[in-house]
């Protein structure tokens, strides 16, 4: 069996240094701006930025879509870190787009709004909102994705999948949580059962396997449940396009 050891302390130190270097090169004096959901990823990303830049240069954006059952977790995080924050309810924006599509059908476009459209529109509007705050506050947007979610495509393209820099996209869920404990975040934020925020189910219910199983497979290539292995491999291949740059046509220009 392949051995795997993760040095959380060393990685945390390197991450903090990396964030500082990013800002030195791409925005000295700028703020780190990120959406705060109350889950582990946004909590740990925010805490890393606080350690790297100081709490006065981190801005959290809370974005409930109407009623958000766990909004108090997001408020707990910004209060715990002592960072500046703004709360913007995106329901009217989401409803406005969906109602506009419905109105457009009257002009001859025959379409039915798909389930995926309804689920992915809110995270895309959230990211537009984060960028609006960032551009108004001399900011750089923090991407909060992790390797485990990216591996199986568990993110919304042009929603939570984007940002100006990504501290955790090469770290698994297991590794991210270890770093969160070193940052002395409340356990309730680190151990909160992840819910996708789209359809109300837990991540693991939607995926069909646990992050613990996935993380071991990513790092060691070992997995005993062949049925789960097939699901993971299929999702990984299907969603690789999300991690690649947009394809661009390269014209062959003749020079004289």
């Amino acid at each position: 069996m392949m051995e795997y050891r993760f040095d959380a302390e060393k990685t945390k130190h390197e991450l903090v240094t990396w964030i500082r270097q990013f800002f030195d090169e791409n925005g000295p004096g700028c703020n780190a701006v990120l959406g705060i959901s109350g889950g582990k990823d946004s909590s740990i990303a925010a805490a890393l930025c606080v350690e790297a830049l100081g709490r006065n240069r981190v801005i959290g954006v809370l974005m409930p879509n109407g009623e958000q059952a766990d909004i108090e977790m997001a408020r707990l995080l910004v209060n715990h870190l002592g960072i500046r924050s703004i709360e913007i309810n995106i329901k009217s924006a989401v409803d406005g787009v969906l109602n506009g599509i419905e109105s457009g059908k009257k002009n001859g476009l025959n379409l039915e709004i798909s389930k995926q459209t309804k689920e992915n529109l809110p995270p895309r509007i959230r990211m537009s909102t984060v960028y609006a705050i960032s551009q108004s506050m001399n900011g750089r947007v923090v991407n909060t994705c992790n390797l485990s979610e990216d591996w199986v495509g568990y993110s919304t393209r042009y929603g939570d999948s984007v940002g100006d820099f990504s501290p955790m996209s090469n770290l698994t869920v297991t590794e991210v949580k270890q770093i969160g404990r070193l940052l002395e975040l409340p356990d309730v934020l680190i151990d909160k059962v992840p819910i996708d925020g789209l359809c109300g189910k837990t991540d693991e219910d939607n995926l069909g396997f646990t992050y613990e199983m996935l993380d071991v497979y990513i790092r060691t290539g070992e997995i005993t449940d062949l049925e789960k292995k097939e699901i993971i491999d299929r999702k990984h291949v299907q969603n690789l396009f999300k991690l690649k740059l947009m394809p661009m046509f390269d014209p062959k220009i003749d020079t004289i």
Side-chain angles (χ1 to χ4, degrees), residues 63-233:
M63 295 166 286
N65 181 17
E67 296 293 326
Q68 180 178 324
D70 58 353
I71 189 66
E72 288 305 322
M73 293 295 99
R75 293 168 183 159
L76 170 64
L77 185 277
V78 298
N79 290 332
H80 173 79
L81 295 178
I83 61 175
R84 291 177 289 169
S85 66
I86 181 171
E87 189 168 322
I88 303 167
N89 200 304
I90 65 166
K91 187 176 189 306
S92 59
V94 173
D95 289 347
V97 172
L98 294 176
N99 290 337
I101 294 173
E102 288 290 346
S103 298
K105 290 165 62 175
K106 299 175 183 177
N107 297 323
L109 183 61
N110 184 24
L111 66 86
E112 292 297 326
I113 300 174
S114 70
K115 177 175 178 290
Q116 280 188 315
T117 296
K118 292 178 181 177
E119 290 179 351
N120 286 290
L121 180 60
R124 289 178 175 137
I125 288 178
R126 285 191 176 101
M127 188 52 70
S128 294
T129 304
V130 172
Y131 266 98
I133 300 300
S134 181
Q135 287 192 317
S136 300
M137 295 294 294
N138 190 30
R140 298 290 183 268
V141 172
V142 189
N143 171 272
T144 63
C145 287
N146 62 62
L147 176 62
S148 305
E149 293 171 348
D150 282 345
W151 192 270
V152 291
Y154 208 65
S155 62
T156 296
R157 204 172 195 208
Y158 303 114
D160 56 333
S161 68
V162 301
D164 296 323
F165 68 106
S166 185
M168 305 182 307
S169 61
N170 287 318
L171 297 171
T172 66
V173 165
T174 302
E175 294 159 355
V176 167
K177 290 174 74 171
Q178 289 181 41
I179 290 172
R181 299 197 194 286
L182 293 176
L183 292 164
E184 299 182 349
L185 285 166
D187 288 342
V188 68
L189 295 176
I190 298 171
D191 296 323
K192 179 176 176 287
V193 176
I195 298 175
D196 66 3
L198 303 178
C199 62
K201 293 183 180 179
T202 69
D203 291 6
E204 294 178 346
D205 284 342
N206 279 323
L207 290 169
F209 46 81
T210 67
Y211 280 123
E212 182 180 9
M213 176 185 291
L214 174 62
D215 292 352
V216 171
Y217 183 42
I218 289 172
R219 290 306 189 201
T220 70
E222 295 175 356
I223 187 169
T224 56
D225 190 325
L226 296 183
E227 183 178 341
K228 296 290 193 293
K229 178 183 184 300
E230 192 276 330
I231 296 172
I232 292 169
D233 289 345

